[in-house]
Amino acid sequence: MSAAWDVVVIGAGSVGTPLAMSLAERGIRVLCVDEHASAGQGNNKSAIGGIRATHSETAKMRLCLHSLEVFRTWEERHGDDISWLQGGYVYVAYDDEVEELLKGMLPRQQAAGLNIDWIGAARMGKLCPGIHPDGLRGGAWSPGDGSASPMQAASAFRRRAAALGADFRFRERVTALETAGGRVTAVVTDRGRHPCGAVVNCAGSFAAELGAMAGLALPVVPDCHEAGVMEPVEHFFDPMIVDIRRAPGSANYYFYQHATGQIVFCITPEPPIVGTDLRETSAFLPLVAPRMVQLYPRLANLKVRRTWRGNYPQTPDGSPILGQAGPENHYVAVGMCGQGFMLGPGVGELLARQIADELDAADREVLADLRLDRSFASEEALK
């Protein structure tokens, strides 16, 4: 009996939805299942919307360069407003350690095709009027990066995928994978059974649990991050501003001004807060506010409208795990480390090419770097 679906994608989030779209663009019969009520209702809706190719690892740069092209041209090509804003990213430097790190990455980033360079303090001051000038060395500036709406984008990707023939089943939780002869033969949910030719794990924070159903030990552990949004004010700066200096209780933090005038911000707690508890805390604002105001004093009098909490499904080295793993027709696109939104279209296109047997040499290099059985010895410096 032929499979009912060529591919079943598990998870209709930042990665699974664009993957379903890329598969459908190739005429592949695809079903995307998700336990939530609609696309993008998991970690995707907690993302603050930043999209960058500015990473330290070449594989992630290549994936995000494709993603940036998708986001940048989406409204022109498909007509949907996804709130794309090309404000760029700046990584600021106030000490020798950060300056040396950022400058040291530039040759690899430029070789990968990124439009990025070092700018001095004077140029940084013009890009970010009012940034704290004392000790400012400058920073890395990548004008091609930007932001978009995670919810608008997820809806747009789902609409296009569905128009091309992809089927989406919501409020449906996967309970088992049936296997025979080293292959997955069906995906079983609490609402039925779906025979398939292949299956892709895009389960985000629950990737490890789903991987165990395929006999895999996936080193993906979610931790918690909080974000917030301020009241709207007149526009006064364009880039996403990232400060990677460590401080007691936190590592990097970052913020940008949305097209609405609101400042959206997030911080990386240190040590990590492992788990899937999505309740906001009273510790977040006292942790992030002093750092943001010290860097950008103009933020001091702005009111915070809302805070929220989401998960970063982490891997040991800060890079995703992609490609075939376990049963011969089983694939993973997991461990996005909080960057699923920016990686999603690039990852979706790569996995679709792998499943459709369309890989080129560059694709194989990316998959080799991000395979499950890698050493996890290096670490993404800008995760």
Side-chain angles (χ1 to χ4, degrees):
M1 184 177 68
S2 63
W5 304 101
D6 295 328
V7 181
V8 174
V9 175
I10 303 171
S14 298
V15 176
T17 304
L19 170 58
M21 178 182 69
S22 291
L23 290 166
E25 287 172 343
R26 289 163 169 80
I28 294 171
R29 296 175 300 164
V30 57
L31 168 66
C32 188
V33 297
D34 195 291
E35 65 179 356
H36 295 97
S38 61
Q41 292 296 321
N43 292 329
N44 176 82
K45 74 176 182 181
S46 298
I48 70 170
I51 305 163
R52 58 181 166 96
T54 305
H55 299 280
S56 66
E57 300 299 317
T58 300
K60 291 175 72 174
M61 295 182 221
R62 290 176 174 175
L63 291 168
C64 284
L65 282 171
H66 177 81
S67 291
L68 278 167
E69 179 67 12
V70 171
F71 287 113
R72 183 181 63 79
T73 62
W74 187 268
E75 185 170 7
E76 177 186 348
R77 294 172 59 205
H78 303 295
D80 303 301
D81 178 11
I82 59 171
S83 298
W84 166 249
L85 177 65
Q86 188 169 317
Y89 265 62
V90 292
Y91 282 76
V92 298
Y94 282 87
D95 57 41
D96 289 340
E97 182 182 359
V98 173
E99 181 175 357
E100 290 172 8
L101 176 66
L102 295 174
K103 285 183 174 179
M105 287 187 286
L106 288 174
R108 177 185 290 189
Q109 292 168 331
Q110 292 166 344
L114 272 63
N115 177 15
I116 187 170
D117 211 340
W118 181 264
I119 59 172
R123 177 81 186 280
M124 185 71 75
K126 291 180 179 179
L127 282 172
C128 309
I131 193 169
H132 193 70
D134 294 349
L136 179 61
R137 311 287 187 88
W141 162 233
S142 48
D145 294 339
S147 62
S149 164
M151 292 307 299
Q152 286 178 305
S155 295
F157 297 156
R158 187 207 61 80
R159 285 193 298 270
R160 175 160 171 77
L164 293 168
D167 194 4
F168 287 80
R169 306 278 178 88
F170 296 108
R171 297 189 176 93
E172 193 159 346
R173 182 174 58 85
V174 174
T175 58
L177 300 179
E178 292 183 3
T179 61
R183 295 177 60 85
V184 178
T185 56
V187 175
V188 181
T189 75
D190 55 0
R191 299 179 65 181
R193 178 179 178 275
H194 305 296
C196 59
V199 63
V200 189
N201 178 345
C202 300
S205 295
F206 305 97
E209 291 89 332
L210 188 65
M213 297 180 191
L216 290 173
L218 295 175
V220 178
V221 178
D223 64 25
C224 301
H225 292 241
E226 287 187 70
V229 61
M230 298 180 188
E231 62 185 332
V233 293
E234 185 175 349
H235 196 83
F236 64 99
F237 70 99
D238 291 327
M240 177 80 76
I241 300 174
V242 186
D243 184 355
I244 61 174
R245 290 175 292 175
R246 282 174 159 77
S250 65
N252 61 67
Y253 66 101
Y254 40 97
F255 57 93
Y256 74 103
Q257 188 168 24
H258 192 268
T260 59
Q262 296 171 291
I263 311 297
V264 190
F265 57 97
C266 188
I267 198 167
T268 300
E270 191 174 68
I273 304 169
V274 175
T276 56
D277 185 351
L278 299 185
R279 293 174 296 177
E280 299 88 350
T281 71
S282 60
F284 169 57
L285 288 178
L287 185 64
V288 70
R291 297 197 67 181
M292 291 178 63
V293 171
Q294 192 280 329
L295 179 70
Y296 219 126
R298 293 179 67 173
L299 303 176
N301 295 318
L302 298 186
K303 296 181 177 65
V304 175
R305 285 279 182 86
R306 183 170 70 91
T307 64
W308 64 93
R309 198 175 193 185
N311 280 147
Y312 281 20
Q314 300 283 6
T315 64
D317 62 1
S319 290
I321 302 169
L322 303 182
Q324 188 277 329
E328 64 181 76
N329 63 338
H330 180 270
Y331 300 83
V332 298
V334 300
M336 300 294 143
C337 302
Q339 298 162 355
F341 179 56
M342 66 180 72
L343 285 161
V347 168
E349 180 64 17
L350 175 63
L351 266 291
R353 289 200 295 268
Q354 184 178 29
I355 292 167
D357 196 23
E358 298 173 356
L359 296 177
D360 60 22
D363 293 334
R364 292 187 177 90
E365 288 178 2
V366 171
L367 288 168
D369 287 346
L370 301 178
R371 67 193 186 277
L372 173 59
D373 64 349
R374 67 183 186 263
S375 68
F376 294 98
S378 63
E379 184 172 2
E380 164 67 53
L382 302 179
K383 62 180 181 179

Coordinates of all heavy atoms in Angstrom, one line a residue, residues 328-380:
E328 N 16.0 5.2 8.4 CA 16.5 5.8 7.2 C 15.7 6.9 6.6 O 16.2 7.8 5.8 CB 16.8 4.7 6.1 CG 15.5 4.0 5.7 CD 15.8 2.9 4.7 OE1 16.3 1.8 5.1 OE2 15.6 3.2 3.5
N329 N 14.4 6.9 6.9 CA 13.5 8.0 6.4 C 13.1 8.9 7.5 O 12.0 9.6 7.3 CB 12.2 7.3 5.7 CG 11.4 6.6 6.7 OD1 11.9 6.2 7.8 ND2 10.1 6.4 6.4
H330 N 13.9 9.1 8.5 CA 13.6 10.0 9.6 C 14.6 11.1 9.6 O 15.8 10.9 9.5 CB 13.7 9.2 11.0 CG 13.4 10.0 12.2 ND1 14.4 10.7 12.8 CD2 12.2 10.3 12.8 CE1 13.9 11.3 13.9 NE2 12.6 11.1 13.9
Y331 N 14.1 12.3 9.7 CA 14.9 13.5 9.6 C 14.6 14.4 10.9 O 13.5 14.4 11.4 CB 14.6 14.3 8.4 CG 14.9 13.6 7.1 CD1 13.9 12.7 6.6 CD2 16.1 13.7 6.4 CE1 14.1 12.0 5.4 CE2 16.3 13.0 5.2 CZ 15.3 12.1 4.7 OH 15.5 11.4 3.6
V332 N 15.6 15.2 11.2 CA 15.5 16.1 12.3 C 15.9 17.5 11.9 O 16.8 17.7 11.1 CB 16.3 15.7 13.6 CG1 15.9 14.3 14.1 CG2 17.8 15.7 13.2
A333 N 15.1 18.5 12.5 CA 15.4 19.9 12.3 C 15.2 20.5 13.7 O 14.1 21.1 13.9 CB 14.6 20.6 11.2
V334 N 16.1 20.3 14.6 CA 15.9 20.6 16.0 C 17.0 21.4 16.6 O 18.1 21.5 16.0 CB 15.7 19.3 16.8 CG1 14.5 18.5 16.2 CG2 16.9 18.4 16.8
G335 N 16.8 21.9 17.9 CA 17.9 22.5 18.6 C 18.3 23.9 18.0 O 19.5 24.2 17.8
M336 N 17.3 24.7 17.7 CA 17.6 26.0 17.1 C 18.1 27.0 18.1 O 18.5 28.1 17.6 CB 16.3 26.5 16.4 CG 15.7 25.6 15.4 SD 16.8 25.4 13.9 CE 16.5 23.7 13.5
C337 N 18.2 26.7 19.4 CA 18.8 27.6 20.3 C 18.2 29.0 20.4 O 19.0 30.0 20.5 CB 20.3 27.6 20.1 SG 21.1 26.0 20.2
G338 N 16.9 29.1 20.2 CA 16.3 30.4 20.2 C 16.3 31.2 18.9 O 15.8 32.3 18.8
Q339 N 16.9 30.5 17.9 CA 17.0 31.2 16.6 C 16.2 30.5 15.5 O 16.4 30.7 14.3 CB 18.5 31.2 16.2 CG 19.3 32.0 17.2 CD 20.8 31.7 17.1 OE1 21.2 30.9 16.3 NE2 21.6 32.5 17.9
G340 N 15.1 29.8 15.9 CA 14.3 29.1 14.9 C 13.6 30.0 13.9 O 13.5 29.6 12.7
F341 N 13.2 31.2 14.4 CA 12.5 32.1 13.5 C 13.4 32.5 12.4 O 13.1 32.5 11.2 CB 12.0 33.3 14.2 CG 11.3 34.3 13.4 CD1 10.2 33.9 12.6 CD2 11.7 35.6 13.4 CE1 9.6 34.9 11.8 CE2 11.0 36.6 12.6 CZ 10.0 36.2 11.8
M342 N 14.7 32.9 12.7 CA 15.6 33.4 11.7 C 16.2 32.3 10.8 O 16.5 32.4 9.7 CB 16.7 34.2 12.3 CG 17.7 33.5 13.2 SD 19.0 34.6 13.9 CE 18.1 35.5 15.1
L343 N 16.3 31.1 11.4 CA 16.8 29.9 10.7 C 15.7 29.2 9.8 O 16.1 28.5 8.9 CB 17.4 28.9 11.6 CG 18.8 29.3 12.3 CD1 19.0 28.4 13.5 CD2 19.9 29.0 11.2
G344 N 14.5 29.4 10.2 CA 13.4 28.5 9.7 C 13.3 28.4 8.1 O 13.4 27.3 7.6
P345 N 13.2 29.5 7.4 CA 13.2 29.3 5.9 C 14.4 28.7 5.3 O 14.3 27.9 4.4 CB 13.0 30.8 5.4 CG 12.3 31.5 6.6 CD 13.0 30.9 7.8
G346 N 15.6 29.0 5.8 CA 16.8 28.4 5.3 C 16.9 26.9 5.7 O 17.2 26.1 4.8
V347 N 16.5 26.5 6.9 CA 16.5 25.1 7.3 C 15.4 24.4 6.5 O 15.6 23.3 6.0 CB 16.2 25.0 8.8 CG1 15.9 23.6 9.2 CG2 17.4 25.5 9.6
G348 N 14.2 25.0 6.3 CA 13.2 24.3 5.6 C 13.6 24.0 4.2 O 13.3 22.9 3.7
E349 N 14.2 25.0 3.5 CA 14.6 24.7 2.1 C 15.7 23.7 2.1 O 15.7 22.8 1.2 CB 15.1 26.1 1.6 CG 15.6 26.0 0.1 CD 14.5 25.6 -0.9 OE1 13.3 25.8 -0.5 OE2 14.9 25.2 -2.0
L350 N 16.6 23.7 3.0 CA 17.7 22.6 3.0 C 17.1 21.2 3.2 O 17.5 20.3 2.5 CB 18.7 23.0 4.1 CG 19.9 21.9 4.3 CD1 20.7 21.8 3.0 CD2 20.7 22.3 5.5
L351 N 16.3 21.1 4.2 CA 15.7 19.8 4.4 C 14.8 19.3 3.3 O 14.8 18.1 2.9 CB 14.9 19.8 5.7 CG 15.6 19.3 7.0 CD1 15.9 17.8 7.0 CD2 16.9 20.1 7.2
A352 N 14.1 20.2 2.7 CA 13.3 19.9 1.5 C 14.2 19.4 0.4 O 13.8 18.4 -0.3 CB 12.4 21.1 1.0
R353 N 15.3 20.0 0.2 CA 16.2 19.6 -0.9 C 16.8 18.2 -0.5 O 17.0 17.4 -1.4 CB 17.4 20.6 -1.1 CG 16.9 21.9 -1.8 CD 18.1 22.7 -2.4 NE 19.0 23.1 -1.4 CZ 19.0 24.3 -0.8 NH1 18.0 25.2 -1.1 NH2 19.9 24.7 0.0
Q354 N 17.1 18.0 0.7 CA 17.6 16.7 1.1 C 16.6 15.6 0.8 O 16.9 14.5 0.3 CB 18.0 16.6 2.6 CG 18.7 15.3 3.0 CD 19.1 15.3 4.4 OE1 18.6 16.0 5.3 NE2 20.2 14.5 4.7
I355 N 15.3 15.8 1.2 CA 14.3 14.8 1.1 C 14.0 14.6 -0.4 O 13.7 13.4 -0.8 CB 13.0 15.3 1.8 CG1 13.3 15.2 3.3 CG2 11.8 14.4 1.5 CD1 12.2 15.9 4.2
A356 N 14.1 15.6 -1.2 CA 13.8 15.5 -2.6 C 15.1 15.1 -3.4 O 15.0 15.1 -4.7 CB 13.3 16.9 -3.2
D357 N 16.2 14.8 -2.7 CA 17.4 14.4 -3.4 C 17.9 15.5 -4.4 O 18.3 15.2 -5.5 CB 17.3 13.1 -4.1 CG 18.6 12.4 -4.5 OD1 19.6 12.7 -3.8 OD2 18.6 11.6 -5.4
E358 N 18.0 16.7 -3.9 CA 18.4 17.8 -4.7 C 19.7 18.5 -4.1 O 20.0 19.7 -4.5 CB 17.3 18.9 -4.8 CG 16.1 18.4 -5.5 CD 15.0 19.4 -5.4 OE1 15.1 20.5 -4.8 OE2 13.9 19.2 -6.0
L359 N 20.4 17.9 -3.2 CA 21.5 18.5 -2.5 C 22.7 18.8 -3.5 O 23.0 18.1 -4.4 CB 22.0 17.6 -1.4 CG 21.0 17.3 -0.2 CD1 21.7 16.4 0.7 CD2 20.6 18.6 0.5
D360 N 23.3 20.0 -3.2 CA 24.5 20.3 -3.9 C 25.7 20.2 -2.9 O 25.5 19.9 -1.7 CB 24.5 21.7 -4.6 CG 24.2 22.9 -3.6 OD1 24.5 22.7 -2.4 OD2 23.7 23.9 -4.1
A361 N 26.9 20.6 -3.3 CA 28.1 20.4 -2.5 C 28.0 21.3 -1.2 O 28.3 20.9 -0.1 CB 29.3 20.7 -3.3
A362 N 27.5 22.6 -1.4 CA 27.4 23.5 -0.3 C 26.4 23.0 0.7 O 26.6 23.1 1.9 CB 26.9 24.9 -0.8
D363 N 25.2 22.4 0.3 CA 24.3 21.8 1.2 C 24.9 20.7 2.0 O 24.6 20.6 3.2 CB 23.1 21.2 0.4 CG 22.2 22.3 -0.3 OD1 22.2 23.4 0.1 OD2 21.6 21.9 -1.4
R364 N 25.7 19.8 1.3 CA 26.3 18.7 2.0 C 27.2 19.2 3.1 O 27.4 18.6 4.2 CB 26.9 17.8 1.0 CG 25.9 17.0 0.1 CD 26.6 16.0 -0.7 NE 25.6 15.2 -1.5 CZ 25.2 15.6 -2.7 NH1 25.7 16.7 -3.3 NH2 24.3 14.9 -3.4
E365 N 27.9 20.3 2.9 CA 28.8 20.8 3.9 C 28.1 21.3 5.1 O 28.5 21.1 6.2 CB 29.6 22.0 3.3 CG 30.7 21.6 2.3 CD 31.4 22.8 1.7 OE1 31.1 24.0 2.1 OE2 32.3 22.6 0.8
V366 N 26.9 22.0 4.9 CA 26.1 22.4 6.0 C 25.6 21.3 6.8 O 25.7 21.2 8.0 CB 24.9 23.3 5.5 CG1 24.0 23.6 6.6 CG2 25.5 24.6 4.9
L367 N 25.1 20.3 6.1 CA 24.5 19.1 6.8 C 25.6 18.3 7.5 O 25.4 17.8 8.6 CB 23.8 18.2 5.8 CG 22.5 18.7 5.3 CD1 22.0 17.8 4.1 CD2 21.4 18.7 6.4
A368 N 26.8 18.3 7.0 CA 27.9 17.6 7.7 C 28.3 18.4 9.0 O 28.6 17.8 10.0 CB 29.2 17.5 6.7
D369 N 28.3 19.7 8.9 CA 28.6 20.5 10.1 C 27.6 20.4 11.2 O 27.9 20.5 12.4 CB 28.8 22.0 9.7 CG 30.0 22.3 9.0 OD1 30.9 21.4 9.0 OD2 30.1 23.4 8.4
L370 N 26.3 20.1 10.8 CA 25.2 20.2 11.8 C 24.6 18.8 12.0 O 23.5 18.7 12.5 CB 24.1 21.1 11.3 CG 24.6 22.6 11.1 CD1 23.5 23.5 10.6 CD2 25.2 23.2 12.4
R371 N 25.3 17.7 11.6 CA 24.8 16.4 11.8 C 24.7 16.0 13.3 O 25.4 16.6 14.1 CB 25.6 15.4 11.1 CG 27.0 15.2 11.6 CD 27.9 14.4 10.7 NE 29.2 14.2 11.3 CZ 30.2 15.0 11.3 NH1 30.1 16.2 10.8 NH2 31.4 14.7 11.9
L372 N 23.9 15.1 13.6 CA 23.7 14.6 15.0 C 25.0 14.1 15.6 O 25.3 14.3 16.8 CB 22.6 13.6 15.1 CG 22.3 12.9 16.5 CD1 22.0 13.9 17.6 CD2 21.2 11.9 16.4
D373 N 25.8 13.3 14.8 CA 26.9 12.6 15.4 C 28.2 13.5 15.3 O 29.3 12.9 15.4 CB 27.2 11.3 14.7 CG 27.5 11.4 13.2 OD1 27.4 12.6 12.6 OD2 27.9 10.4 12.6
R374 N 28.1 14.8 15.3 CA 29.3 15.7 15.4 C 29.8 15.7 16.8 O 29.1 15.2 17.7 CB 28.9 17.1 14.9 CG 28.0 17.9 15.8 CD 27.7 19.2 15.2 NE 26.9 20.1 16.0 CZ 25.6 20.3 15.9 NH1 24.9 19.6 15.0 NH2 24.9 21.1 16.7
S375 N 30.9 16.3 17.0 CA 31.6 16.3 18.3 C 31.0 17.3 19.3 O 31.2 17.1 20.5 CB 33.1 16.5 18.1 OG 33.3 17.9 17.7
F376 N 30.3 18.3 18.8 CA 29.8 19.4 19.6 C 31.0 20.1 20.4 O 30.8 20.7 21.5 CB 28.8 18.9 20.6 CG 27.5 18.4 20.0 CD1 27.3 17.1 19.7 CD2 26.5 19.3 19.6 CE1 26.1 16.6 19.1 CE2 25.4 18.9 18.9 CZ 25.2 17.5 18.7
A377 N 32.2 20.1 19.8 CA 33.3 20.6 20.5 C 33.4 22.1 20.4 O 33.8 22.8 21.3 CB 34.6 20.0 19.9
S378 N 33.1 22.7 19.2 CA 33.1 24.1 19.0 C 31.8 24.8 19.6 O 30.9 24.1 19.9 CB 33.3 24.5 17.6 OG 32.2 24.1 16.8
E379 N 31.8 26.1 19.7 CA 30.6 26.7 20.3 C 30.4 28.0 19.5 O 31.3 28.8 19.2 CB 30.8 27.0 21.7 CG 29.6 27.6 22.4 CD 29.7 27.8 23.9 OE1 30.7 27.5 24.4 OE2 28.7 28.2 24.5
E380 N 29.1 28.2 19.1 CA 28.7 29.4 18.4 C 28.9 30.6 19.4 O 28.4 30.6 20.5 CB 27.2 29.3 18.1 CG 26.5 30.6 17.7 CD 27.0 31.2 16.4 OE1 27.1 30.6 15.4 OE2 27.4 32.4 16.5

